Amino acid sequence: MRKTTRLRLAGALAAALVAAGIATGPAAQASQKQPTLAELAQRHGRYFGSATDNPELTDTAYTALLGSEFDMITPGNGMKWYATEPQQGVFDWTNGDQIVDLARKNHQRVRAHTLVWHSQLPSWLTSREWTADELRAVLKKHIQTEVRHYRGKVYSWDVVNEAFNEDGSYRETIWYKTLGPGYIADALRWAHQADPHARLYLNDYNIEAVGPKSDAYYQLAKDLKAQHVPLNGIGLQAHLALQYGYPTTLEDNLRRFSALGLDTALTEVDVRMILPADDAKLATQAEWYRSLTEACLAVRRCVGITVWDYTDKYSWIPAVFPGEGAALPWDEQLRPKPAYFAIRAALGGK
Ligand code: 9MR
């Protein structure tokens, strides 16, 4: 190899290490290592989290960053109904426990996800008809068994996920159709009985901006608070897409939920784009990550931000939106993207 090529490679390696927060050279060795996203967020009394999923945990380069850069972990699938109660009354905690144990080892907290949803349900539940009494008993048992299992081990629960349609009407799920809208208050009360210390959330997508769907949550949250139902927060998933525009009313929206005495959190953040990615799109994406981080920091009760996994290597987007992707702050080779540096900057890091 020619000397100039070698030098260039060494320079590129040093730049990559600096970008990854790894100190190089004598001067850097004397100074402190760069703070992580979690450490920067903690300076504002916030957390910075990532989702993860069990199959990824054999990837050691991946788990190294997962374990060091974040202080909150969400299991992407491991605590869902199909995974935890695959047969009626038969519970399986393998996947959820693996993630809780890993988080504990890394001194991270866990946003548990999710108890009541219309998706990823086991077939024993969806393949037959239930009377309201039967289904209420099934739901109560599932919630209380799972929440009790993780009592004292998780920070919060997404108790009900994705309960509304885009126009703010109730989604016609098995829960709504059989039990009526009261299933939401019931689920919160049952979860609270099983773990009085867990923070209990309603969680949904496309509720970042003020609009019919977030208005429905605002009204529901107000009603639940008035009835003293144990609701602690609203999770705004924030699955954003460059082609649909940035939700400019995000901060106002967070603020109105705070005014009800509720926490808010950005729970599943990603910013997808139509592929291929290019510098301009990555720059816009970085601006969006910066703006949403600033919005959370500006609102006292916005408690933290979670990205829906941290690397494009394990994003759910390409499988569900063909031709779209590049949605996360680290690329498929686990290299930090402009979005990562924008988040750091918004958190006051260099
Ligand atoms: O990340 C999850 C992915 O692995 C699953 O295949 C998918 C199935 O719907 O669910 C993904 O997570 C979803 C989350 O649980 C709720 N909000 C939307 C997320 C993306 O679909």
Side-chain angles (χ1 to χ4, degrees):
M1 194 188 294
R2 287 179 44 187
K3 192 167 168 223
T4 45
T5 316
R6 258 198 331 261
L7 279 175
R8 221 176 286 133
L9 281 176
L13 177 63
L17 290 172
V18 168
I22 299 164
T24 57
Q29 275 159 21
S31 71
Q32 281 298 310
K33 176 182 149 300
Q34 290 232 38
T36 63
L37 293 185
E39 287 163 347
L40 291 171
Q42 283 161 17
R43 294 180 188 172
H44 303 269
R46 309 304 203 277
Y47 61 78
F48 208 96
S50 176
T52 190
D53 205 1
N54 301 81
E56 306 157 20
L57 300 179
T58 54
D59 177 343
T60 51
Y62 168 81
T63 52
L65 268 175
L66 183 76
S68 58
E69 196 71 32
F70 306 97
D71 56 353
M72 186 71 80
I73 297 293
T74 305
N77 289 300
M79 293 185 178
K80 289 172 178 174
W81 202 313
Y82 80 99
T84 53
E85 195 182 357
Q87 294 166 53
Q88 187 172 8
V90 178
F91 291 86
D92 182 350
W93 312 118
T94 314
N95 286 354
D97 283 359
Q98 187 188 10
I99 290 172
V100 168
D101 291 347
L102 181 68
R104 174 172 283 201
K105 193 176 107 231
N106 291 324
H107 310 289
Q108 296 162 314
R109 292 185 291 168
V110 174
R111 279 198 95 260
H113 172 87
T114 178
L115 296 168
V116 192
W117 195 22
H118 59 275
S119 191
Q120 292 182 285
L121 293 170
S123 57
W124 64 262
L125 181 45
T126 52
S127 62
R128 52 159 284 192
E129 297 289 317
W130 302 89
T131 67
D133 283 348
E134 286 169 344
L135 194 64
R136 189 173 289 109
V138 163
L139 183 61
K140 181 175 181 183
K141 178 165 183 193
H142 179 78
I143 290 174
Q144 296 211 310
T145 308
E146 181 158 7
V147 174
R148 241 182 254 129
H149 177 78
Y150 289 110
R151 177 166 52 196
K153 296 184 173 171
V154 303
Y155 162 72
S156 65
W157 271 105
D158 288 334
V159 177
V160 181
N161 198 40
E162 302 174 1
F164 286 107
N165 293 314
E166 295 304 298
D167 66 0
S169 59
Y170 279 97
R171 193 192 280 267
E172 298 270 332
T173 66
I174 177 173
W175 314 114
Y176 181 79
K177 283 194 291 195
T178 316
L179 304 174
Y183 83 89
I184 296 178
D186 285 341
L188 289 161
R189 290 191 179 106
W190 293 329
H192 182 67
Q193 281 170 9
D195 183 354
H197 298 297
R199 308 289 292 166
L200 303 183
Y201 278 72
L202 307 177
N203 189 52
D204 213 326
Y205 61 89
N206 280 352
I207 58 166
E208 295 73 39
V210 173
K213 196 173 182 181
S214 62
D215 289 351
Y217 276 96
Y218 182 74
Q219 194 53 53
L220 173 63
K222 213 169 165 177
D223 294 347
L224 293 173
K225 293 294 277 183
Q227 296 163 48
H228 305 290
V229 175
L231 171 68
N232 301 111
I234 303 292
L236 294 77
Q237 294 181 7
H239 291 294
L240 307 181
L242 289 188
Q243 65 273 26
Y244 301 133
Y246 181 78
T248 52
T249 49
L250 172 61
E251 189 179 319
D252 292 339
N253 194 31
L254 292 171
R255 200 161 269 143
R256 69 173 169 162
F257 286 108
S258 293
L260 292 180
L262 290 167
D263 290 350
T264 53
L266 304 179
T267 55
E268 305 185 10
V269 179
D270 44 31
V271 180
R272 64 186 188 268
M273 60 186 69
I274 295 168
L275 297 172
D278 60 29
D279 287 351
K281 290 181 205 169
L282 291 172
T284 307
Q285 178 187 55
E287 274 312 303
W288 287 29
Y289 271 99
R290 179 201 300 267
S291 300
L292 65 87
T293 304
E294 286 171 352
C296 182
L297 293 183
V299 180
R300 196 172 54 84
R301 296 196 65 159
C302 180
V303 295
I305 299 172
T306 297
V307 288
W308 205 240
D309 225 315
Y310 73 85
T311 158
D312 294 333
K313 187 173 182 181
Y314 297 123
S315 173
W316 66 292
I317 299 285
V320 176
F321 299 98
E324 298 181 43
L328 293 165
W330 278 262
D331 71 12
E332 290 184 24
Q333 282 75 43
L334 308 188
R335 289 176 307 215
K337 292 158 63 177
Y340 164 79
F341 297 102
I343 298 167
R344 293 192 69 86
L347 292 172
K350 301 251 166 36

